[in-house]
Amino acid sequence: MKNNDRSGFLLTKGEPELEKLVRETLDDALKTVKRNTKRFNGNNNYPVQVYKNGVYDETDGARDCWTQGFWPGQLWLAYEMTGDEYYREIAEKYVGHMFDRAYNNYMLDFHHDIGFLYTPSCVSAYKLTGNETALRAAKIAAWSLSRRFRPKGEFIQSIGNEFDENSYKFIADTMLNLPLLFWATEETGEPMYAERALKHLNTTMKYMVREDGSSFHHFRMDRATGEPVKGFTWQGYSDDSCWTRGHSWIVYGLAIAYGYTKDPEIYKNFCRVTDFFLNNMPLDPEDLVPYWDFHFREGDVERDASAGIIVCCGIMEMAQFVSPEDEKLKGYIEKAKKMLKNIIERCHVRSERGEEGILEHITDALPQGVGEVCEPYGDYFFIEALIRAITPWKSYW
């Protein structure tokens, strides 16, 4: 299982100008986090979609939203970096709310986004402070996620119940919910969690990732036989295109899975999907903010900076475990440096603007009418990327 020693790899090592930029950006981002605590203060209130006029929509734990774990995650990142108990006190309130949600099984049987909810909010709390309530909540969440595994087809069903033919499917996003299962095996000693995660990963690579390294967003399976039916999209441009952020979940998910397993086949697949991502960026070699779908290579088209940041995190994760002499990895690292710098300079919402968002130019779901905005998950992964670029960060995932 995963080696929890802190990594010796730092993206900014030997790059003083980049390190200075990253540190200044992180300091500024944490100013926004601190200001946001005045509104989102642990009283079961979370920033979620929609973002308008520099302000997030607000919800409580009685409304299910897949992004609710990312605000507590930002608080734990801020606490880890500053040691300020102020962040810990607020974050621990959210741990209590997340435990209540898990204990009462609120919506945990309906979708796969349990890893997004509980890894940044509770696994982080337990790893940083030994919080027993967070541990109990994360264990319950992992058990709930494991129950969505379907033996017929060997995948974790993304949404709905197993008796609905149209819901008998999995999606790219699940790849970054799998870490909760790998963690659960590591924490409990129960192999079932990791076994189901690996089966889902293998099914994803077999059916969702195309021969050229691109990916579908959704993939439907036959409920009666478990055989593949078809791939399609929901948030991408078309069924035949490759939705950028969905692909980024696969990149980062494979990197994390490799950290737990050291399976060379996973590294091979990581290279396949990462090559596709990096080889299909905008045609302008100085432009490293991805378009929202790989169908686009140029023009005045919406971007998704969060996809680029998630891939940067994936490359930094993989760099902990692969030889620095690996030629593929060296190329990925150089591209990650440039992409991180590009995104900082073009997409960071500086604190003096007075907005609640930290990373802009994120296209959440363009076919559903949500264009370029800020998003809580974008803010979280932006801060995570900044931290792990300059510190030997111990992953929450």
Side-chain angles (χ1 to χ4, degrees):
M1 299 307 290
K2 195 169 187 178
N3 182 345
N4 281 324
D5 291 341
R6 289 178 178 267
S7 166
F9 173 79
L10 298 178
L11 190 68
T12 58
K13 185 177 181 181
E15 302 278 353
E17 291 185 7
L18 179 60
E19 181 180 357
K20 182 175 182 290
L21 176 65
V22 170
R23 289 188 182 278
E24 291 175 348
T25 305
L26 177 59
D27 288 344
D28 190 73
L30 293 181
K31 289 179 183 177
T32 300
V33 174
K34 187 71 169 282
R35 185 174 62 233
N36 288 349
T37 61
K38 296 176 181 178
R39 180 178 174 207
F40 303 105
N41 53 17
N43 292 326
N44 204 18
N45 58 339
Y46 303 80
V48 293
Q49 303 99 324
V50 176
Y51 193 76
K52 188 175 181 180
N53 298 324
V55 175
Y56 279 117
D57 191 12
E58 180 177 343
T59 187
D60 60 23
R63 173 184 155 196
D64 178 55
C65 180
W66 73 274
T67 66
Q68 286 164 321
F70 292 112
W71 169 240
Q74 292 176 56
L75 295 173
W76 285 116
L77 289 171
Y79 169 71
E80 183 174 8
M81 289 306 296
T82 67
D84 190 339
E85 291 293 324
Y86 172 79
Y87 293 113
R88 176 175 176 170
E89 290 171 4
I90 299 174
E92 285 182 336
K93 292 180 183 178
Y94 286 108
V95 168
H97 300 313
M98 296 299 285
F99 172 78
D100 290 343
R101 177 176 183 159
Y103 185 78
N104 293 306
N105 195 27
Y106 175 64
M107 296 297 290
L108 265 65
D109 273 345
F110 189 70
H111 61 66
H112 70 139
D113 287 320
I114 301 168
F116 285 135
L117 290 169
Y118 281 88
T119 298
S121 65
C122 291
V123 174
S124 58
Y126 175 63
K127 286 186 173 184
L128 288 172
T129 71
N131 187 305
E132 288 294 324
T133 301
L135 175 62
R136 292 173 65 198
K139 284 182 177 180
I140 295 170
W143 169 245
S144 296
L145 181 58
S146 74
R147 293 177 63 206
R148 298 199 62 76
F149 181 77
R150 306 297 178 234
K152 285 186 178 179
E154 296 193 333
F155 66 96
I156 292 171
Q157 186 173 332
S158 57
I159 196 167
N161 66 65
E162 61 185 302
F163 305 108
D164 180 0
E165 180 69 39
N166 290 328
S167 296
Y168 206 73
K169 63 182 182 179
F170 58 99
I171 70 175
D173 312 42
T174 310
M175 285 292 291
L176 214 61
N177 286 278
L178 299 183
L180 182 65
L181 299 180
F182 286 118
W183 167 83
T185 286
E186 187 176 69
E187 184 62 38
T188 68
E190 170 52 63
M192 173 271 293
Y193 296 109
E195 288 169 357
R196 293 184 177 186
L198 284 171
K199 287 179 179 178
H200 177 92
L201 183 154
N202 290 334
T203 300
T204 297
M205 297 311 302
K206 186 175 182 180
Y207 299 123
M208 179 165 281
V209 177
R210 306 181 182 105
E211 187 174 345
D212 66 354
S214 66
S215 59
F216 294 107
H217 180 202
H218 288 232
F219 204 97
R220 181 168 293 135
M221 307 292 277
D222 187 282
R223 177 175 165 269
T225 66
E227 293 298 309
V229 177
K230 67 174 182 177
F232 59 101
T233 195
W234 171 248
Q235 287 164 268
Y237 175 77
S238 72
D239 289 348
D240 296 325
S241 72
C242 179
W243 177 49
T244 311
R245 193 170 73 255
H247 200 72
S248 75
W249 297 135
I250 297 175
V251 171
Y252 196 7
L254 285 167
I256 295 168
Y258 182 81
Y260 279 104
T261 65
K262 307 302 188 299
D263 182 346
E265 190 65 25
I266 291 179
Y267 181 58
K268 183 190 301 183
N269 284 320
F270 170 84
C271 292
R272 284 180 60 206
V273 296
T274 305
D275 282 345
F276 181 86
F277 191 102
L278 298 178
N279 291 338
N280 288 274
M281 295 284 279
L283 291 174
D284 181 351
E286 300 304 313
D287 183 352
L288 292 172
V289 180
Y291 287 110
W292 72 280
D293 190 286
F294 287 114
H295 175 80
F296 303 98
R297 300 292 304 280
E298 59 185 341
D300 185 17
V301 181
E302 289 85 352
R303 308 297 183 116
D304 192 347
S306 71
I309 282 296
I310 291 162
V311 167
C312 283
C313 288
I315 291 170
M316 288 188 279
E317 175 75 12
M318 186 61 83
Q320 300 177 91
F321 309 112
V322 176
S323 167
E325 301 306 312
D326 184 280
E327 290 299 323
K328 279 280 191 184
L329 186 67
K330 285 197 287 188
Y332 299 153
I333 289 170
E334 289 307 307
K335 188 59 71 75
K337 291 177 183 178
K338 295 175 182 177
M339 185 155 54
L340 180 59
K341 181 176 184 290
N342 211 254
I343 290 173
I344 288 172
E345 293 175 341
R346 295 174 55 186
C347 306
H348 172 218
V349 181
R350 293 197 60 83
S351 62
E352 59 258 29
R353 284 170 52 176
E355 297 188 21
E356 291 179 348
I358 298 172
L359 184 71
E360 61 185 352
H361 301 304
I362 299 172
T363 300
D364 182 74
L366 195 60
Q368 290 73 44
V370 185
E372 286 189 355
V373 289
C374 295
E375 293 285 355
Y377 57 84
D379 295 343
Y380 171 86
F381 285 110
F382 186 51
I383 297 172
E384 180 186 305
L386 296 171
I387 289 173
R388 68 187 313 161
I390 58 173
T391 67
W393 186 69
K394 185 190 293 183
S395 173
Y396 301 160
W397 303 94

